[in-house]
Amino acid sequence: MRINIPDPAFSHSERASANFRLALKISLVFVALLWIVSLLNWGLALDLTRFGVRPGVPAGLAGIFFAPLLHGNLAHLLSNSIPLVVLGTGMLYLYPNSALKVIPAIYLVPGLVVWQFGRASLHVGASGLVYGLATYILVAGLIRRDRRAISAAMLVFFLYGTLVWGVLPSETGVSWETHLVAGLVGVVLAIFFRRLDVPPRKRYTWEDEDADDSKNSVD
């Protein structure tokens, strides 16, 4: 299988650099929002975690929208912050068109599924986003033939390969259901959107020469 190298005029352009900076800024702003919400919640004793997903409870439906913004404690928030910056930046930079569809899906779908089928517990945290983004980037790198996607997949596997254990009901107090559903959503969407955000590949002189020869032979 040939691995395509993105056209340097595309991947090393000023526009590409600007897109990376924008992706990083958006990711940092989102993580900053998580910190602001958590600090206000803890500092003012607002008990915002009551707006998390509570399966089967009508009031728990609000958690579909609010649960990813809420965290139980500082360790929980810290564990999600750096992965969200890394994975969010990678997703927005490498797959900007897909991100417009993928990010809302992995934000909302896990909460909806957990509300319908999850165990009776309070489910909060942005770890579903972490799992969804990680599996999307990983699977996209496995099924695409361009070097950027493969490199991103290898980095995700190296940094976050141990996330796979989080989809198993092995630790109390962890919403493994959210992790599992978000991971599956990431896998399915990576396959479904595999033809989106394909960068122009580098062409070699011999390819152009072969194309000219083929054209001349047809003439």
Side-chain angles (χ1 to χ4, degrees):
M1 180 182 72
R2 184 176 68 180
I3 298 176
N4 295 326
I5 299 175
D7 186 348
F10 170 81
S11 58
H12 296 159
S13 65
E14 178 56 35
R15 180 178 179 182
S17 299
N19 289 342
F20 177 81
R21 292 192 294 269
L22 177 61
L24 178 59
K25 288 178 182 177
I26 293 174
S27 300
L28 288 172
V29 167
F30 179 74
V31 171
L33 174 63
L34 299 184
W35 277 84
I36 291 171
V37 170
S38 293
L39 292 176
L40 288 175
N41 181 37
W42 301 329
L44 300 178
L46 299 176
D47 190 26
L48 295 179
T49 53
R50 68 183 185 276
F51 295 111
V53 175
R54 295 182 182 273
V57 178
L61 281 169
I64 296 172
F65 302 96
F66 298 120
L69 303 177
L70 307 172
H71 291 80
N73 51 52
L74 182 60
H76 189 197
L77 178 59
L78 285 170
S79 68
N80 286 330
S81 295
I82 294 178
L84 282 173
V85 172
V86 174
L87 297 170
T89 301
M91 183 72 200
L92 291 167
Y93 174 61
L94 295 174
Y95 309 110
N97 296 309
S98 303
L100 296 176
K101 307 171 183 66
V102 172
I103 292 177
I106 62 177
Y107 186 98
L108 297 172
V109 172
L112 178 61
V113 175
V114 170
W115 183 84
Q116 291 178 315
F117 304 108
R119 59 197 159 87
S121 182
L122 178 65
H123 302 260
V124 296
S127 53
L129 284 170
V130 173
Y131 274 78
L133 292 172
T135 55
Y136 186 96
I137 295 172
L138 179 61
V139 174
L142 294 176
I143 63 178
R144 294 170 184 248
R145 295 190 298 172
D146 69 271
R147 189 171 64 179
R148 293 196 318 167
I150 294 172
S151 299
M154 292 175 62
L155 178 62
V156 167
F157 181 79
F158 176 76
L159 293 176
Y160 306 115
T162 56
L163 288 177
V164 66
W165 302 113
V167 304
L168 302 175
S170 57
E171 185 177 348
T172 58
V174 174
S175 181
W176 63 269
E177 301 100 318
T178 301
H179 299 169
L180 177 60
V181 175
L184 291 175
V185 170
V187 170
V188 171
L189 294 182
I191 297 172
F192 189 79
F193 294 129
R194 64 188 181 278
R195 301 192 187 282
L196 278 181
D197 301 300
V198 177
R201 69 179 182 86
K202 178 180 179 180
R203 291 187 61 85
Y204 296 91
T205 304
W206 60 266
E207 290 182 292
D208 295 330
E209 292 175 350
D210 288 347
D212 292 338
D213 290 343
S214 175
K215 181 179 179 180
N216 292 333
S217 63
V218 172
D219 293 342

